[in-house]
Amino acid sequence: MSSFLVQNTVELATFSSRLIHRFSKEYKEVRVSRGGDVNDTWLPEKRSKEYYQILVSSDLKRQKLKLGPHYQLLFPSQGSKTMSLGNDFGWLHYTWIDIGTPRVSFMVALDSGSDLFWVPCDCVQCAPLSASHYSSLDRDLNEYSPSQSSTSKQLSCSHRLCDMGLNCTNSKQSCPYSINYYTESTSSSGLLVEDIIHLASGGDDTLNTSVKAPVIIGCGMKQSGGYLDGVAP
C-alpha cells in the first residue's frame, strides 16, 4: 500500500490572487498600463459626491439581485424623506415610521451608532411629547402601547436577542433593556417587544406595495438626562 501511494502521489499546485478595489490608486495604475482612461467615470475623486453616488448605485443593484423580482426596494410607508430639526442634537436626522396594528406614526432619529430601535411607550418618565417643547414640530409625538396593538408580542428573557436575560428571575419574564448614550447623559430603559413596521416596496417602474415586516422594538418607559429637558425629540 505504501509503495502504491508513493507511486501515485499527485503534486498539487497552489494558485493565489489579489483583490484590488476599483477606486484604488493601484487599480488606476493597472488601468493606465493597459491603455485605459484614468479620468473616466469609474474613477471619481475619493470622497466626492460622484464617488458615493457610484457606490450607492452599485449597492442598490446588488440588493435588487438578492431580493429578486418580488421586492425591489424597501422604504418607510410614509416615504424616505429625512429632516434635521436644528435642535441641540443638530447632527441627528429624523424620519416618520408606522408601527403596530392599527398603525401609529412615530418620528425616529436615524442613529447609525446604535443597534436598538425604541420609541416612547407606556410612559413612566418620558421625554416631552408635546410639539410645544420643540420649535420645529408641527404635531405632537405619539406614545406606543403594546396593549393597543393587536400584532404586539411579548419578548421573553429566553429570546436569543435578549441581552439582559441573565437579570431575569425566570425565562418567561418580559425581556428588559437599558441603554446609555454619551451625549447629555441620556438614557432609555424599558421592555423589548415584537411588532410590525409598515414599509413599502417598489422599483423604478412598479407601483408601491405595502409590506409588513416583524421587528423587535424597545418599549421606552423611562428616559433620563437631556431627553427630559427637550434637547431633542
Side-chain angles (χ1 to χ4, degrees):
M1 179 63 75
S2 301
S3 175
F4 177 81
L5 289 175
V6 170
Q7 292 174 3
N8 290 276
T9 298
V10 178
E11 292 186 6
L12 299 178
T14 301
F15 299 94
S16 63
S17 62
R18 294 176 60 249
L19 293 177
I20 302 175
H21 195 282
R22 61 180 175 175
F23 291 168
S24 67
K25 181 180 179 181
E26 187 173 0
Y27 176 74
K28 290 183 180 181
E29 295 173 351
V30 171
R31 190 174 179 85
V32 170
S33 69
R34 296 180 178 178
D37 184 1
V38 72
N39 294 316
D40 66 19
T41 56
W42 284 99
L43 298 170
E45 182 181 352
K46 197 170 183 180
R47 296 189 178 89
S48 66
K49 179 180 178 181
E50 292 76 17
Y51 176 86
Y52 291 111
Q53 284 178 332
I54 291 178
L55 288 181
V56 169
S57 175
S58 177
D59 183 62
L60 287 175
K61 290 177 182 177
R62 286 197 297 270
Q63 291 300 321
K64 286 183 178 181
L65 290 175
K66 290 179 182 178
L67 292 171
H70 186 51
Y71 295 138
Q72 292 301 312
L73 298 174
L74 291 174
F75 44 88
S77 58
Q78 294 199 39
S80 55
K81 180 181 178 180
T82 63
M83 52 199 153
S84 177
L85 301 180
N87 49 58
D88 290 358
F89 290 175
W91 40 268
L92 272 182
H93 282 71
Y94 297 82
T95 194
W96 288 96
I97 61 167
D98 294 336
I99 302 174
T101 307
R103 65 176 67 187
V104 179
S105 297
F106 296 90
M107 189 178 72
V108 296
L110 303 173
D111 180 7
S112 59
S114 170
D115 63 357
L116 177 66
F117 172 32
W118 65 270
V119 293
C121 166
D122 289 348
C123 290
V124 175
Q125 179 179 281
C126 287
L129 299 177
S130 172
S132 62
H133 283 83
Y134 310 102
S135 59
S136 303
L137 289 185
D138 58 0
R139 52 176 147 164
D140 292 342
L141 302 175
N142 289 316
E143 178 181 347
Y144 175 76
S145 179
S147 63
Q148 299 301 311
S149 174
S150 62
T151 47
S152 178
K153 301 176 184 178
Q154 173 193 1
L155 196 81
S156 69
C157 290
S158 61
H159 195 281
R160 61 184 181 85
L161 294 180
C162 183
D163 291 339
M164 298 182 67
L166 295 177
N167 297 335
C168 301
T169 56
N170 65 76
S171 61
K172 295 183 179 180
Q173 180 181 336
S174 295
C175 176
Y177 84 87
S178 180
I179 184 168
N180 296 306
Y181 298 100
Y182 294 110
T183 308
E184 300 290 339
S185 300
T186 51
S187 70
S188 173
S189 61
L191 301 173
L192 294 182
V193 298
E194 180 179 343
D195 210 331
I196 61 171
I197 181 173
H198 296 266
L199 304 172
S201 70
D204 297 333
D205 53 358
T206 60
L207 295 175
N208 291 347
T209 304
S210 176
V211 177
K212 298 178 181 179
V215 65
I216 305 299
I217 65 175
C219 172
M221 306 165 81
K222 295 184 68 176
Q223 288 105 59
S224 68
Y227 284 136
L228 302 181
D229 298 328
V231 295

